[in-house]
Amino acid sequence: MTYYENIVILTGAGISAESGLDTFRDKGGIWAKYDLMELATPEAFARNPDLVHEFYNARREGVKKVSPNAAHFALAQLEQSHPGKVTLITQNVDPLHEKAGSKNLMHMHGELNKARCLTCHGVCTWQDDLSRANICPSCGQAGALRPHIVWFGEMPFHMDDITICLEACDLFISIGTSGSVYPAAGFVQTAHGYGAETVELNLEPSDGDRLFSVGHYGKATKIVPEYIAGLIKQD
Ligand code: APR
């Protein structure tokens, strides 16, 4: 059995699906119901901020009703028990990883429960509805708060730290992501290029499944706890 000192895990919407949150590209997913060009670009927000706020307010309300599932808890348990380093990078904007207890976590596409000021760039916790009437708690400007979400055409957060982690890891695990959005979709190649073992855990083979050396397919609440239990046994 191989011991992995430095583990990097990338998660996507599939890990939160069984908690009750819609994925983006599955049948009936968020981008099948809504036009992303009207809701998830900086241009859309400039054109119609009320519509964009309404969409994210509904999603912010939605995450209040859901809880982490067995897959989120398994990753938190690995972080706590692993003698080496575990870094979790999520594309998800929901708070389920931190609610499950994960600590070394980067939200590369932002967080639903935060807002950012277009005037002072301050980021604040925001649990309830956001609108143009709200005032930035840092600078007092009205109408300048936006969802702290990375929209299409914007640069994801934490990219320098993520690159350092990918270059240093010896095991890269991708969970519940279709692998259709870059730069996250390219992380497997970076990790592989630096010598890491690469594992995909997903409902079905993703767009980039050939890039992984190992794949386990099925529901996250089954395959993630099983796979993580195997890793913990090796520690
Ligand atoms: N268990 C495991 N995997 C699942 C489950 C489940 N119960 N349900 C769905 N999946 C898988 C799907 O098979 C699919 O491959 O999760 C993946 C979800 O893919 P997407 O909907 O494309 O979500 P994601 O990869 O996170 O999207 C990336 O796109 O619009 C953006 O910013 C948004 O962060 C998001 C990014």
Side-chain angles (χ1 to χ4, degrees), residues 12-14 18 24-26 31 91 109 176-178 202-204 220:
E18 291 162 80
F24 292 94
R25 293 172 187 79
D26 291 304
W31 298 144
Q91 299 169 89
H109 289 171
T177 173
S178 60
N202 205 41
L203 191 58
E204 62 210 357

Side-chain angles (χ1 to χ4, degrees), residues 64-164:
K64 286 183 184 163
K65 299 177 189 132
V66 300
S67 306
N69 65 47
H72 298 102
F73 284 116
L75 299 186
Q77 195 195 346
L78 177 69
E79 184 186 336
Q80 276 157 28
S81 68
H82 186 57
K85 187 176 174 197
V86 176
T87 305
L88 185 52
I89 304 163
T90 189
Q91 299 169 89
N92 298 344
V93 295
D94 67 56
L96 296 182
H97 282 305
E98 48 271 49
K99 280 193 174 170
S102 287
K103 303 259 183 277
N104 191 19
L105 167 68
M106 289 182 262
H107 277 278
M108 65 177 290
H109 289 171
E111 294 174 67
L112 270 177
N113 289 332
K114 288 185 178 168
R116 185 167 83 246
C117 179
L118 291 168
T119 302
C120 74
H121 308 293
V123 175
C124 54
T125 301
W126 206 274
Q127 310 276 1
D128 297 313
D129 282 0
L130 186 58
S131 79
R132 279 193 287 168
N134 292 120
I135 290 167
C136 171
S138 301
C139 71
Q141 174 83 39
L145 289 173
R146 58 164 276 181
H148 188 50
I149 301 285
V150 176
W151 287 323
F152 288 91
E154 295 184 317
M155 182 61 83
F157 300 134
H158 309 295
M159 283 310 297
D160 290 347
D161 289 337
I162 289 172
T163 303
I164 290 167

Side-chain angles (χ1 to χ4, degrees), residues 163-187:
T163 303
I164 290 167
C165 288
L166 290 170
E167 290 175 0
C169 76
D170 50 10
L171 175 63
F172 173 78
I173 310 170
S174 170
I175 303 174
T177 173
S178 60
S180 38
V181 175
Y182 282 82
F187 290 174

Side-chain angles (χ1 to χ4, degrees), residues 3-30:
Y3 169 76
Y4 299 102
E5 174 67 22
N6 199 335
I7 301 172
V8 172
I9 302 166
L10 171 71
T11 63
I15 196 167
S16 297
E18 291 162 80
S19 291
L21 296 177
D22 285 338
T23 60
F24 292 94
R25 293 172 187 79
D26 291 304
K27 199 161 171 263
I30 292 171

